[in-house]
Amino acid sequence: MQDAGHKGTIFEHIGGAEVIDRLVDLFYERMDTLAEAKDIRAIHAADLGPTKDVLKRYLCEWTGGPKLYSPEKGHPRLRQRHLHVAIGEAERDAWLVCMRGALEEVISDAEARAGLYENMAKLADWMRNQPGNPHDARGQAT
C-alpha cells in the first residue's frame, strides 16, 4: 500500500513492524475487553497467539512492508478463508470498533490513520458473508 501523502509505503511511514505489532496487540486487547466485541471474540480460539501472528504478518505485507504472509499462506483469499464464520453487519462493526480504537492509539499521523481505517472498513465490509452483503459468492458487486 502506497502512502499517498509521502514517499514510500504506509508501512514505512507509520513506523514499520513495531507499530504493526502494537496495533494488532491493542486490537485483540480491545476484542478481549469491549462488550460490543464479545460475539466476535467468541469466534476465536482461547489462545490468540497464532491469530495475532497471522494478522501481524498479513498487515505488514498489506501496508507495503516485507512479504511475511504470502510465502507461507499464499494469496490471502480472505473472504474464502473466513467463509466458515458468519460475518454480518454486527460482526463487521464490532471488528471495526476494535480496529478504530487500536489505530487511534497507535497511529499518530491523522491522515495515515484515516487512510488505513478507510481501507480496512472497505475490506471488513467486503468480508460479510451473511444476508445483506452487496457482493455475490464471487465477491462481485451485484
Side-chain angles (χ1 to χ4, degrees):
M1 173 183 293
Q2 287 299 116
D3 183 2
H6 304 85
K7 289 188 176 196
T9 64
I10 191 70
F11 177 82
E12 295 164 337
H13 179 71
I14 65 172
E18 183 178 316
V19 170
I20 295 291
D21 287 352
R22 183 152 161 71
L23 177 70
V24 171
D25 288 343
L26 289 171
F27 167 77
Y28 283 110
E29 182 179 304
R30 281 170 170 71
M31 192 182 289
D32 269 338
T33 59
L34 296 178
E36 57 263 52
K38 176 183 61 131
D39 290 340
I40 63 168
R41 177 57 179 100
I43 295 168
H44 293 79
D47 177 10
L48 288 172
T51 302
K52 285 181 181 182
D53 183 57
V54 170
L55 184 56
K56 287 175 181 181
R57 288 184 286 135
Y58 174 78
L59 288 178
C60 278
E61 191 167 325
W62 186 70
T63 57
K67 293 195 179 299
L68 303 174
Y69 179 90
S70 60
E72 180 183 332
K73 300 275 190 184
H75 188 282
R77 297 187 308 265
L78 294 179
R79 198 153 186 258
Q80 179 183 348
R81 291 180 193 269
H82 289 81
L83 283 176
H84 68 284
V85 178
I87 303 172
E89 289 181 7
E91 292 79 15
R92 174 206 59 201
D93 292 349
W95 192 94
L96 286 171
V97 163
C98 295
M99 186 54 74
R100 180 184 292 265
L103 285 166
E104 288 173 356
E105 191 167 335
V106 176
I107 309 296
S108 58
D109 182 302
E111 187 177 336
R113 183 174 58 245
L116 280 168
Y117 181 80
E118 180 181 334
N119 283 304
M120 288 179 176
K122 288 176 187 174
L123 180 59
D125 192 55
W126 181 77
M127 294 292 291
R128 290 187 297 137
N129 57 26
Q130 295 302 292
N133 188 343
H135 302 282
D136 68 15
R138 295 180 310 278
Q140 304 294 315
T142 54

